[in-house]
Amino acid sequence: MPPLTFPRSRAVAAVAAAAIVAFAACESDTSPTAPLQPGAASAHNHGAHGGPVVLTPDMLKAIARVRAATQNFHDLATAQNAGYNVQFPAGCAALAGSGAQGFHYINNGLVDGNVELLRPELVMYEPKPGGGRQLVGVDYVVPLSLSATPPTLLGVPFAPLPELGVWALHIWAWRPNPSGMFAMWNPTVSCANQ
């Protein structure tokens, strides 16, 4: 499959950014090593289609495994050396009043018709004050051309993003999100420091 690319037009990027699916853990500690808290994360999470998702103990264990698998990607250079070296879409995704998703880096070698929990196709970063990027979550994509129906991960359906040509689902594994583990935007993420 050819690499996924995205036009650099600001108008197109804004539409695409508004369509990307994001998710985040409902926890109060924002440190990168903060454990997932089942009590705090269980009630008001939203899936790709906006419905409530109750995080089960099995889901919380799976998300902890995602964190372990992506631990080394706190260093962007390490993620880039592992193949996450193309922004898709280009730029920092934010939506006024809703929060942001940050910069998305894709590993085109992982983009296919399969969904693998411990091998997300993208990693997401918030720009930090003074430069640098902080890992906030991961993103899973499947090209629309490879699946006629929404893929699912942890029982949550992916959302179609026709502007990008993919089904997508984010997990906010590294940044708490008061909007929910699978919410579109994270109000605790910002593009202000880009």
Side-chain angles (χ1 to χ4, degrees):
M1 157 147 218
L4 292 175
T5 58
F6 190 75
R8 296 194 181 264
S9 158
R10 286 187 181 184
V12 174
V15 169
I20 295 174
V21 178
F23 53 82
C26 287
E27 58 190 76
S28 59
D29 184 352
T30 60
S31 68
T33 57
L36 292 173
Q37 301 296 322
S42 63
H44 295 95
N45 292 285
H46 292 87
H49 299 286
V53 174
V54 176
L55 295 179
T56 66
D58 286 343
M59 291 170 89
L60 292 170
K61 287 177 189 173
I63 294 163
R65 291 176 54 215
V66 169
R67 289 170 64 129
T70 58
Q71 173 70 37
N72 291 337
F73 298 155
H74 284 288
D75 176 42
L76 179 58
T78 300
Q80 290 173 324
N81 288 335
Y84 296 92
N85 48 27
V86 175
Q87 282 190 35
F88 178 79
C92 189
L95 181 64
S98 296
Q101 300 167 355
F103 290 96
H104 296 71
Y105 289 86
I106 193 166
N107 181 334
N108 276 309
L110 298 177
V111 178
D112 56 23
N114 299 314
V115 177
E116 297 179 59
L117 178 69
L118 302 182
R119 296 180 58 166
E121 286 78 12
L122 297 101
V123 287
M124 301 184 301
Y125 292 85
E126 176 183 49
K128 297 191 305 190
R133 309 263 162 98
Q134 182 176 12
L135 181 65
V136 294
V138 298
D139 190 0
Y140 300 86
V141 296
V142 172
L144 291 172
S145 62
L146 298 181
S147 181
T149 58
T152 61
L153 184 63
L154 303 179
V156 179
F158 285 40
L161 303 178
E163 299 85 0
L164 298 176
V166 297
W167 298 99
L169 181 72
H170 290 150
I171 294 177
W172 293 100
W174 292 104
R175 177 62 61 86
N177 186 347
S179 298
M181 180 62 72
F182 305 103
M184 175 73 80
W185 301 97
N186 188 335
T188 72
V189 174
S190 170
C191 290
N193 296 305
Q194 64 178 331

